[in-house]
Amino acid sequence: MNFTRYRRPSAFLLLTVAVVLGAAAVAGLEPGGEGALVLLLELQKYVLLLGWLALAALTGALLLGLTKSSLRVPLVIGLLVIGAPTLLLGGLASAMFGGSDEEVKTESAPGRSDRQLVPHQATFASPVETEK
């Protein structure tokens, strides 16, 4: 069976997946405050994973899309030489400087003793204490 006719559509699909994953990773970098979408707040946990998956999809798209091997190898090597260390440094920086900024409190819901109200409050800046 000849699979060469599926190369370009597969490369385009992988390129689309790489763009979507990259956009999700960039959206996850933005700090969300009050009123932020829950999906964007959850993306913050998976920024590095999304980055690695976008890099893998982009590498696959280059390998499938380019037919000349003289172009394919240098572009893939250049992409991996730039992309992999960038993501590794991002993971190291995230491990060193990142932390759990989320504060979770559990209270009983107003007027209902059978339900609980669980507000999530993210503190992205250090609180300033005022003296009285």
Side-chain angles (χ1 to χ4, degrees):
M1 189 176 215
N2 190 4
F3 291 108
T4 57
R5 67 180 182 160
Y6 297 115
R7 284 178 69 111
R8 286 201 185 245
S10 298
F12 181 73
L13 180 66
L14 279 173
L15 185 62
T16 305
V17 167
V19 168
V20 168
L21 289 172
V26 170
L29 290 174
E30 284 295 317
E34 281 189 41
L37 294 174
V38 174
L39 177 66
L40 294 178
L41 291 175
E42 290 298 317
L43 283 178
Q44 289 179 349
K45 298 176 188 174
Y46 303 107
V47 170
L48 287 175
L49 176 65
L50 291 171
W52 281 108
L53 290 175
L55 181 65
L58 190 58
T59 303
L62 277 177
L63 287 174
L64 279 176
L66 296 176
T67 56
K68 292 183 178 181
S69 65
S70 61
L71 286 175
R72 189 181 336 173
V73 173
L75 283 176
V76 168
I77 288 175
L79 177 69
L80 292 178
V81 163
I82 292 171
T86 302
L87 288 171
L88 287 174
L89 287 175
L92 181 65
S94 174
M96 289 175 62
F97 302 115
S100 179
D101 292 347
E102 196 169 77
E103 201 178 297
V104 179
K105 299 177 188 173
T106 305
E107 303 170 2
S108 61
R112 301 285 304 256
S113 61
D114 60 335
R115 297 187 184 184
Q116 290 184 340
L117 177 66
V118 184
H120 291 271
Q121 181 179 5
T123 56
F124 294 103
S126 62
V128 179
E129 294 182 20
T130 58
E131 293 182 21
K132 293 183 182 182

